Amino acid sequence: MSTHKSRFTSTSDTKVGILGAGAIGQLLFHQLTATGCAPYFITRGGNTRQQTLTFTSIENNTSNLSAELFSSVSQSDTHDALAQVMRDTQVIIVCVKAYQVNEAINSILTRIPKDCHLLLLHNGMGPHLQIEKQLSTQGLSVGTTSQGALKLATWHIQQTGCGSSQLGHASGPQLPNRLKDLLLSAIPQSQWCEPVLPLLWQKLAINAAINPLTAIEQCRNGALADIRYRPIIEMIISELVEVAKLEGVELDKLVLTNRVYEVIKLTANNFSSMHQDVANKRQTEVGSINGYIVARARVHHLNCKTNEDLYNQITKIESQYPI
Ligand code: KPL
């Protein structure tokens, strides 16, 4: 695997759009602004406007920033404003949930400049397969991050963990080095990795093992260290390794298992994102986590019983949410 080190110097002339203003989108906004770049948000609702964002660091220091928000929804005035700002945008970072990626990109597709680059950053896998078919001239990169951020209010986030981020090329033209350097200098502990897919599969294994089990058992991540979960965790990983192999990605089951247990230990006190989604009766990302493993297995006429069972249990829970 090759990695790219940042040699970044100046950013002020670089326009970066952030599609999705969730916790990770807002965290990236603060990190990009700190490097001298002027990012903006593309959101679904509201009008074009200025918004004050509040950021609380891990050390509990709080600061404010002003952000420009552009709505992608059909409102004649905001449409023009978004089209205008997008005209000289060089990168759009897509920070919505995996199941929202298609719709979010489709809402801006006709306005994406021909030489603009897209970076998908979400839990799970899958959307890039569809998006790469829809892009004509634009390059696509994908990434995974274990940076932690929590929304304390709509426009107030707290950084909860300083994880690493791995980014890399997916399709079309490569992200120019100047823009790679910008992202790597803005995002702490980030690396440009080629190939990046094995790293996405590794993160998928972590999410496939931890997320549905903690949501079903209603427990913190650390509870999965109990020996009784070992057989099911091993089955989840074995199935994933088999599917990844058929997809051309070689993974080492033992290395992956050790990594899953390391994350269980490192995040022992956390409630996984799927646990939180289920607790708050929100749609989960199971479709792009265990569901992705099952879908790719089907393409290769393979059965992934354990991942399929977990997928079915979570979708059943989702179907029982009150309307
Ligand atoms: O990414 C996570 C998630 O909750 O989605 C893990 C690594 C499992 C941490 O909780």
Side-chain angles (χ1 to χ4, degrees), residues 123 203 206-207 210-211 221 263 267 270-274:
N123 260 349
K203 180 72 188 330
I206 293 167
N207 289 129
I210 299 177
N211 294 23
N221 295 355
V263 175
T267 63
N270 292 12
F271 286 112
S272 77
S273 54
M274 199 174 292

mmCIF file with all atom_site columns, all heavy atoms in Angstrom, residues 123 203 206-207 210-211 221 263 267 270-274, ligand 1:
data_model
loop_
_atom_site.group_PDB
_atom_site.id
_atom_site.type_symbol
_atom_site.label_atom_id
_atom_site.label_alt_id
_atom_site.label_comp_id
_atom_site.label_asym_id
_atom_site.label_entity_id
_atom_site.label_seq_id
_atom_site.pdbx_PDB_ins_code
_atom_site.Cartn_x
_atom_site.Cartn_y
_atom_site.Cartn_z
_atom_site.occupancy
_atom_site.B_iso_or_equiv
_atom_site.pdbx_formal_charge
_atom_site.auth_seq_id
_atom_site.auth_comp_id
_atom_site.auth_asym_id
_atom_site.auth_atom_id
_atom_site.pdbx_PDB_model_num
ATOM   1   N N   . ASN A 1 123 ? -19.957 5.682  7.003  1.00 0.00 ? 123 ASN A N   1
ATOM   2   C CA  . ASN A 1 123 ? -19.837 4.314  7.513  1.00 0.00 ? 123 ASN A CA  1
ATOM   3   C C   . ASN A 1 123 ? -20.370 3.361  6.450  1.00 0.00 ? 123 ASN A C   1
ATOM   4   O O   . ASN A 1 123 ? -21.298 3.712  5.715  1.00 0.00 ? 123 ASN A O   1
ATOM   5   C CB  . ASN A 1 123 ? -20.726 4.145  8.753  1.00 0.00 ? 123 ASN A CB  1
ATOM   6   C CG  . ASN A 1 123 ? -19.930 4.235  10.040 1.00 0.00 ? 123 ASN A CG  1
ATOM   7   O OD1 . ASN A 1 123 ? -18.701 4.223  10.046 1.00 0.00 ? 123 ASN A OD1 1
ATOM   8   N ND2 . ASN A 1 123 ? -20.652 4.317  11.151 1.00 0.00 ? 123 ASN A ND2 1
ATOM   9   N N   . LYS A 1 203 ? -12.666 -1.438 7.974  1.00 0.00 ? 203 LYS A N   1
ATOM   10  C CA  . LYS A 1 203 ? -13.619 -0.662 8.786  1.00 0.00 ? 203 LYS A CA  1
ATOM   11  C C   . LYS A 1 203 ? -14.998 -1.328 8.739  1.00 0.00 ? 203 LYS A C   1
ATOM   12  O O   . LYS A 1 203 ? -15.725 -1.345 9.740  1.00 0.00 ? 203 LYS A O   1
ATOM   13  C CB  . LYS A 1 203 ? -13.666 0.789  8.287  1.00 0.00 ? 203 LYS A CB  1
ATOM   14  C CG  . LYS A 1 203 ? -14.625 1.694  9.057  1.00 0.00 ? 203 LYS A CG  1
ATOM   15  C CD  . LYS A 1 203 ? -14.112 2.028  10.438 1.00 0.00 ? 203 LYS A CD  1
ATOM   16  C CE  . LYS A 1 203 ? -15.042 2.762  11.385 1.00 0.00 ? 203 LYS A CE  1
ATOM   17  N NZ  . LYS A 1 203 ? -16.023 3.656  10.911 1.00 0.00 ? 203 LYS A NZ  1
ATOM   18  N N   . ILE A 1 206 ? -15.220 -3.989 11.303 1.00 0.00 ? 206 ILE A N   1
ATOM   19  C CA  . ILE A 1 206 ? -15.399 -3.439 12.649 1.00 0.00 ? 206 ILE A CA  1
ATOM   20  C C   . ILE A 1 206 ? -16.881 -3.095 12.864 1.00 0.00 ? 206 ILE A C   1
ATOM   21  O O   . ILE A 1 206 ? -17.495 -3.473 13.860 1.00 0.00 ? 206 ILE A O   1
ATOM   22  C CB  . ILE A 1 206 ? -14.503 -2.179 12.836 1.00 0.00 ? 206 ILE A CB  1
ATOM   23  C CG1 . ILE A 1 206 ? -13.031 -2.599 12.813 1.00 0.00 ? 206 ILE A CG1 1
ATOM   24  C CG2 . ILE A 1 206 ? -14.859 -1.420 14.109 1.00 0.00 ? 206 ILE A CG2 1
ATOM   25  C CD1 . ILE A 1 206 ? -12.054 -1.448 12.681 1.00 0.00 ? 206 ILE A CD1 1
ATOM   26  N N   . ASN A 1 207 ? -17.464 -2.410 11.880 1.00 0.00 ? 207 ASN A N   1
ATOM   27  C CA  . ASN A 1 207 ? -18.870 -2.018 12.001 1.00 0.00 ? 207 ASN A CA  1
ATOM   28  C C   . ASN A 1 207 ? -19.810 -3.220 11.924 1.00 0.00 ? 207 ASN A C   1
ATOM   29  O O   . ASN A 1 207 ? -20.819 -3.265 12.630 1.00 0.00 ? 207 ASN A O   1
ATOM   30  C CB  . ASN A 1 207 ? -19.239 -0.987 10.921 1.00 0.00 ? 207 ASN A CB  1
ATOM   31  C CG  . ASN A 1 207 ? -18.598 0.360  11.171 1.00 0.00 ? 207 ASN A CG  1
ATOM   32  O OD1 . ASN A 1 207 ? -17.962 0.931  10.303 1.00 0.00 ? 207 ASN A OD1 1
ATOM   33  N ND2 . ASN A 1 207 ? -18.731 0.898  12.371 1.00 0.00 ? 207 ASN A ND2 1
ATOM   34  N N   . ILE A 1 210 ? -19.446 -4.961 15.470 1.00 0.00 ? 210 ILE A N   1
ATOM   35  C CA  . ILE A 1 210 ? -19.831 -4.230 16.684 1.00 0.00 ? 210 ILE A CA  1
ATOM   36  C C   . ILE A 1 210 ? -21.259 -3.648 16.609 1.00 0.00 ? 210 ILE A C   1
ATOM   37  O O   . ILE A 1 210 ? -22.042 -3.760 17.558 1.00 0.00 ? 210 ILE A O   1
ATOM   38  C CB  . ILE A 1 210 ? -18.823 -3.085 16.980 1.00 0.00 ? 210 ILE A CB  1
ATOM   39  C CG1 . ILE A 1 210 ? -17.422 -3.667 17.198 1.00 0.00 ? 210 ILE A CG1 1
ATOM   40  C CG2 . ILE A 1 210 ? -19.279 -2.243 18.177 1.00 0.00 ? 210 ILE A CG2 1
ATOM   41  C CD1 . ILE A 1 210 ? -16.331 -2.647 17.434 1.00 0.00 ? 210 ILE A CD1 1
ATOM   42  N N   . ASN A 1 211 ? -21.586 -3.030 15.462 1.00 0.00 ? 211 ASN A N   1
ATOM   43  C CA  . ASN A 1 211 ? -22.822 -2.231 15.425 1.00 0.00 ? 211 ASN A CA  1
ATOM   44  C C   . ASN A 1 211 ? -24.104 -3.040 15.646 1.00 0.00 ? 211 ASN A C   1
ATOM   45  O O   . ASN A 1 211 ? -24.885 -2.719 16.545 1.00 0.00 ? 211 ASN A O   1
ATOM   46  C CB  . ASN A 1 211 ? -22.876 -1.399 14.144 1.00 0.00 ? 211 ASN A CB  1
ATOM   47  C CG  . ASN A 1 211 ? -21.779 -0.333 14.124 1.00 0.00 ? 211 ASN A CG  1
ATOM   48  O OD1 . ASN A 1 211 ? -20.769 -0.473 14.797 1.00 0.00 ? 211 ASN A OD1 1
ATOM   49  N ND2 . ASN A 1 211 ? -21.968 0.717  13.366 1.00 0.00 ? 211 ASN A ND2 1
ATOM   50  N N   . ASN A 1 221 ? -20.122 -0.892 23.547 1.00 0.00 ? 221 ASN A N   1
ATOM   51  C CA  . ASN A 1 221 ? -19.197 -1.683 22.729 1.00 0.00 ? 221 ASN A CA  1
ATOM   52  C C   . ASN A 1 221 ? -18.379 -2.661 23.583 1.00 0.00 ? 221 ASN A C   1
ATOM   53  O O   . ASN A 1 221 ? -18.133 -3.802 23.188 1.00 0.00 ? 221 ASN A O   1
ATOM   54  C CB  . ASN A 1 221 ? -18.234 -0.758 21.973 1.00 0.00 ? 221 ASN A CB  1
ATOM   55  C CG  . ASN A 1 221 ? -18.961 0.105  20.959 1.00 0.00 ? 221 ASN A CG  1
ATOM   56  O OD1 . ASN A 1 221 ? -20.171 -0.049 20.753 1.00 0.00 ? 221 ASN A OD1 1
ATOM   57  N ND2 . ASN A 1 221 ? -18.246 1.020  20.317 1.00 0.00 ? 221 ASN A ND2 1
ATOM   58  N N   . VAL A 1 263 ? -10.699 -2.401 18.799 1.00 0.00 ? 263 VAL A N   1
ATOM   59  C CA  . VAL A 1 263 ? -11.685 -1.306 18.760 1.00 0.00 ? 263 VAL A CA  1
ATOM   60  C C   . VAL A 1 263 ? -12.721 -1.482 19.881 1.00 0.00 ? 263 VAL A C   1
ATOM   61  O O   . VAL A 1 263 ? -13.140 -0.513 20.520 1.00 0.00 ? 263 VAL A O   1
ATOM   62  C CB  . VAL A 1 263 ? -12.352 -1.188 17.364 1.00 0.00 ? 263 VAL A CB  1
ATOM   63  C CG1 . VAL A 1 263 ? -13.459 -0.147 17.364 1.00 0.00 ? 263 VAL A CG1 1
ATOM   64  C CG2 . VAL A 1 263 ? -11.314 -0.845 16.301 1.00 0.00 ? 263 VAL A CG2 1
ATOM   65  N N   . THR A 1 267 ? -13.080 1.546  22.442 1.00 0.00 ? 267 THR A N   1
ATOM   66  C CA  . THR A 1 267 ? -14.355 2.285  22.483 1.00 0.00 ? 267 THR A CA  1
ATOM   67  C C   . THR A 1 267 ? -15.317 1.643  23.493 1.00 0.00 ? 267 THR A C   1
ATOM   68  O O   . THR A 1 267 ? -16.535 1.767  23.356 1.00 0.00 ? 267 THR A O   1
ATOM   69  C CB  . THR A 1 267 ? -15.009 2.323  21.075 1.00 0.00 ? 267 THR A CB  1
ATOM   70  O OG1 . THR A 1 267 ? -15.318 0.971  20.675 1.00 0.00 ? 267 THR A OG1 1
ATOM   71  C CG2 . THR A 1 267 ? -14.127 2.960  20.034 1.00 0.00 ? 267 THR A CG2 1
ATOM   72  N N   . ASN A 1 270 ? -18.329 3.480  24.689 1.00 0.00 ? 270 ASN A N   1
ATOM   73  C CA  . ASN A 1 270 ? -19.223 4.103  23.683 1.00 0.00 ? 270 ASN A CA  1
ATOM   74  C C   . ASN A 1 270 ? -20.443 3.238  23.415 1.00 0.00 ? 270 ASN A C   1
ATOM   75  O O   . ASN A 1 270 ? -20.369 2.007  23.473 1.00 0.00 ? 270 ASN A O   1
ATOM   76  C CB  . ASN A 1 270 ? -18.523 4.238  22.323 1.00 0.00 ? 270 ASN A CB  1
ATOM   77  C CG  . ASN A 1 270 ? -17.406 5.242  22.343 1.00 0.00 ? 270 ASN A CG  1
ATOM   78  O OD1 . ASN A 1 270 ? -16.990 5.690  23.398 1.00 0.00 ? 270 ASN A OD1 1
ATOM   79  N ND2 . ASN A 1 270 ? -16.919 5.572  21.171 1.00 0.00 ? 270 ASN A ND2 1
ATOM   80  N N   . PHE A 1 271 ? -21.502 3.923  23.023 1.00 0.00 ? 271 PHE A N   1
ATOM   81  C CA  . PHE A 1 271 ? -22.624 3.228  22.398 1.00 0.00 ? 271 PHE A CA  1
ATOM   82  C C   . PHE A 1 271 ? -22.390 3.365  20.899 1.00 0.00 ? 271 PHE A C   1
ATOM   83  O O   . PHE A 1 271 ? -22.161 4.484  20.411 1.00 0.00 ? 271 PHE A O   1
ATOM   84  C CB  . PHE A 1 271 ? -23.956 3.883  22.798 1.00 0.00 ? 271 PHE A CB  1
ATOM   85  C CG  . PHE A 1 271 ? -24.358 3.576  24.218 1.00 0.00 ? 271 PHE A CG  1
ATOM   86  C CD1 . PHE A 1 271 ? -24.370 4.563  25.185 1.00 0.00 ? 271 PHE A CD1 1
ATOM   87  C CD2 . PHE A 1 271 ? -24.727 2.284  24.570 1.00 0.00 ? 271 PHE A CD2 1
ATOM   88  C CE1 . PHE A 1 271 ? -24.743 4.277  26.488 1.00 0.00 ? 271 PHE A CE1 1
ATOM   89  C CE2 . PHE A 1 271 ? -25.105 1.979  25.873 1.00 0.00 ? 271 PHE A CE2 1
ATOM   90  C CZ  . PHE A 1 271 ? -25.103 2.977  26.835 1.00 0.00 ? 271 PHE A CZ  1
ATOM   91  N N   . SER A 1 272 ? -22.428 2.277  20.156 1.00 0.00 ? 272 SER A N   1
ATOM   92  C CA  . SER A 1 272 ? -22.168 2.349  18.714 1.00 0.00 ? 272 SER A CA  1
ATOM   93  C C   . SER A 1 272 ? -23.230 3.214  18.034 1.00 0.00 ? 272 SER A C   1
ATOM   94  O O   . SER A 1 272 ? -24.306 3.444  18.595 1.00 0.00 ? 272 SER A O   1
ATOM   95  C CB  . SER A 1 272 ? -22.190 0.949  18.102 1.00 0.00 ? 272 SER A CB  1
ATOM   96  O OG  . SER A 1 272 ? -23.524 0.520  17.950 1.00 0.00 ? 272 SER A OG  1
ATOM   97  N N   . SER A 1 273 ? -22.921 3.650  16.818 1.00 0.00 ? 273 SER A N   1
ATOM   98  C CA  . SER A 1 273 ? -23.883 4.506  16.105 1.00 0.00 ? 273 SER A CA  1
ATOM   99  C C   . SER A 1 273 ? -25.192 3.755  15.861 1.00 0.00 ? 273 SER A C   1
ATOM   100 O O   . SER A 1 273 ? -26.272 4.348  15.901 1.00 0.00 ? 273 SER A O   1
ATOM   101 C CB  . SER A 1 273 ? -23.282 5.004  14.793 1.00 0.00 ? 273 SER A CB  1
ATOM   102 O OG  . SER A 1 273 ? -22.820 3.923  14.033 1.00 0.00 ? 273 SER A OG  1
ATOM   103 N N   . MET A 1 274 ? -25.110 2.413  15.624 1.00 0.00 ? 274 MET A N   1
ATOM   104 C CA  . MET A 1 274 ? -26.349 1.663  15.359 1.00 0.00 ? 274 MET A CA  1
ATOM   105 C C   . MET A 1 274 ? -27.166 1.522  16.646 1.00 0.00 ? 274 MET A C   1
ATOM   106 O O   . MET A 1 274 ? -28.395 1.578  16.621 1.00 0.00 ? 274 MET A O   1
ATOM   107 C CB  . MET A 1 274 ? -26.042 0.300  14.738 1.00 0.00 ? 274 MET A CB  1
ATOM   108 C CG  . MET A 1 274 ? -27.236 -0.297 14.034 1.00 0.00 ? 274 MET A CG  1
ATOM   109 S SD  . MET A 1 274 ? -26.852 -1.813 13.139 1.00 0.00 ? 274 MET A SD  1
ATOM   110 C CE  . MET A 1 274 ? -25.814 -1.252 11.813 1.00 0.00 ? 274 MET A CE  1
HETATM 111 O O1  . KPL B 2 .   ? -17.729 3.314  13.995 1.00 0.00 ? 1   KPL B O1  1
HETATM 112 C C1  . KPL B 2 .   ? -18.281 2.906  14.998 1.00 0.00 ? 1   KPL B C1  1
HETATM 113 C C2  . KPL B 2 .   ? -19.739 3.137  15.097 1.00 0.00 ? 1   KPL B C2  1
HETATM 114 O O2  . KPL B 2 .   ? -20.277 3.140  16.187 1.00 0.00 ? 1   KPL B O2  1
HETATM 115 O O3  . KPL B 2 .   ? -20.345 3.345  14.037 1.00 0.00 ? 1   KPL B O3  1
HETATM 116 C C3  . KPL B 2 .   ? -17.513 2.135  16.034 1.00 0.00 ? 1   KPL B C3  1
HETATM 117 C C4  . KPL B 2 .   ? -16.076 2.015  15.613 1.00 0.00 ? 1   KPL B C4  1
HETATM 118 C C5  . KPL B 2 .   ? -18.119 0.799  16.214 1.00 0.00 ? 1   KPL B C5  1
HETATM 119 C C6  . KPL B 2 .   ? -17.439 2.869  17.347 1.00 0.00 ? 1   KPL B C6  1
HETATM 120 O O4  . KPL B 2 .   ? -18.617 2.864  18.066 1.00 0.00 ? 1   KPL B O4  1
#
